[in-house]
Amino acid sequence: MRGKFITFEGIDGAGKSTHIESVRAFLAARGKTVVMTREPGGTELGEAIRGLFLDRSMSPASEALLVFAARREHLERVVWPALERGDWVLCDRFTDATFAYQGGGREMGFDRIQVLADWVHPGFAPDLTLLFDLPPDAAHDRVAHRGELDRIESEVSDFHVRVRDAYLRRAAAEPDRIKVLSSDQSKETVRSRVLACAMQLLGSAE
């Protein structure tokens, strides 16, 4: 039986990374083999691209092309083989992030991002996307406590507002796949909702 692909999305500081481990433990306790990965990254080439992406100034188009290059490598070497084995894959960001950050934040628009998505992974999408939502000002306060910020985290507030708006537009267009989780609640409350979503997907797969 084919595995399931769950992605975790949200603006920087929204808390998505906190809950990936909870879902891994939940699935592992129920006998599932789980692969945890991230984008950009997940492969040797992808991690090299991640370093360029986060540290080097470049055009919005170059950003989009780089992340899709890393994504194709990631899919072929990690995600698709794992799903074929029946594993469950948990991924920190996927194509929704490119729609949000480059399409919305960089104001490239969604049409060109969709062309790249259709070329790199035609007909393929996550089985479930958990979108952790938080107002940009609150998210920035969380990120600021981490120390030095990368160039994406350092963008002006308006950029992060556009990113959040793009994410919410994606969620409104695909409510069955993308579940919006308000991150301004307690971690325990958010975790409960996250695991409820995972439970629902698990039930549908059995």
Side-chain angles (χ1 to χ4, degrees), residues 21-176:
E21 172 58 26
S22 294
V23 176
R24 186 208 64 77
F26 171 84
L27 293 171
R30 286 153 181 80
K32 301 300 181 183
T33 300
V34 181
V35 174
M36 295 177 64
T37 188
R38 67 178 183 176
E39 290 203 353
T43 65
E44 184 177 354
L45 176 61
E47 293 297 330
I49 289 174
R50 182 185 183 88
L52 292 172
F53 180 82
L54 293 177
D55 296 335
R56 302 288 184 90
S57 178
M58 63 187 73
S59 71
S62 294
E63 285 185 3
L65 290 167
L66 277 178
V67 295
F68 271 109
R71 182 163 297 138
R72 180 67 190 199
E73 187 80 358
H74 188 215
L75 286 166
E76 289 195 1
R77 294 186 178 273
V78 178
V79 177
W80 287 336
L83 295 176
E84 286 302 313
R85 292 194 304 266
D87 299 348
W88 286 52
V89 179
L90 310 183
C91 190
D92 187 340
R93 300 199 187 285
F94 190 60
T95 299
D96 293 304
T98 316
F99 278 97
Y101 279 86
Q102 283 69 51
R106 300 296 189 206
E107 300 183 282
M108 284 183 62
F110 297 152
D111 290 347
R112 283 190 288 176
I113 305 300
Q114 188 64 59
V115 168
L116 291 171
D118 290 341
W119 178 46
V120 169
H121 53 83
F124 178 77
D127 297 287
L128 171 67
T129 296
L130 300 174
L131 172 57
F132 296 86
D133 181 53
L134 192 67
D137 288 345
H140 181 268
D141 289 343
R142 292 184 182 182
V143 171
H145 292 299
R146 298 177 185 170
E148 187 176 354
L149 306 181
D150 63 42
R151 70 183 187 91
I152 304 297
E153 294 169 339
S154 301
E155 283 289 346
V156 298
S157 178
D158 285 351
F159 171 85
H160 295 287
V161 169
R162 292 193 298 271
V163 171
R164 183 195 188 198
D165 288 346
Y167 266 132
L168 293 176
R169 285 179 60 184
R170 296 281 291 171
E174 297 187 58
D176 291 339

